[in-house]
Amino acid sequence: FELKQNVPNPFKEETIIEFSLADASNATLTINDVTGRVLKVVRGDFAKGANQISIDSKELPARGVFYYTLTAGEHVATKKMILLQ
């Protein structure tokens, strides 16, 4: 299980969040603002190994600092990303 830093970071239009899973499983990616408010949730069944999710800046309400958390079974990891305008 590994959650990688989004690329590019900071970003203006689109960013890619890559992660790896030890086994094929259901996973949830949650994006929060700095106050903890949930802005976007992506749920899905992902393959064993490398996976990626694309995030468009239009899906987020404003520029700033956000946190993204990947949850897969008992594994949880969080990283920070920055949206520029």
Side-chain angles (χ1 to χ4, degrees):
F1 177 86
E2 180 185 14
L3 176 61
K4 297 183 179 179
Q5 187 63 52
N6 63 302
V7 177
N9 188 43
F11 71 104
K12 288 185 179 180
E13 295 176 10
E14 181 182 48
T15 191
I16 304 294
I17 298 171
E18 294 185 344
F19 58 94
S20 295
L21 299 176
D23 296 299
S25 69
N26 187 277
T28 303
L29 180 79
T30 306
I31 299 175
N32 302 80
D33 64 14
V34 293
T35 68
R37 183 172 55 126
V38 175
L39 304 174
K40 180 171 178 63
V41 177
V42 178
R43 291 182 180 92
D45 291 317
F46 295 95
K48 175 181 179 177
N51 293 274
Q52 66 180 28
I53 295 173
S54 174
I55 303 296
D56 190 304
S57 64
K58 296 180 186 97
E59 299 175 82
L60 301 173
R63 66 179 180 238
V65 176
F66 302 95
Y67 294 93
Y68 59 98
T69 302
L70 181 69
T71 305
E74 61 188 42
H75 301 285
V76 179
T78 301
K79 297 224 180 253
K80 180 169 73 172
M81 66 180 174
I82 300 169
L83 172 58
L84 300 174
Q85 202 60 321

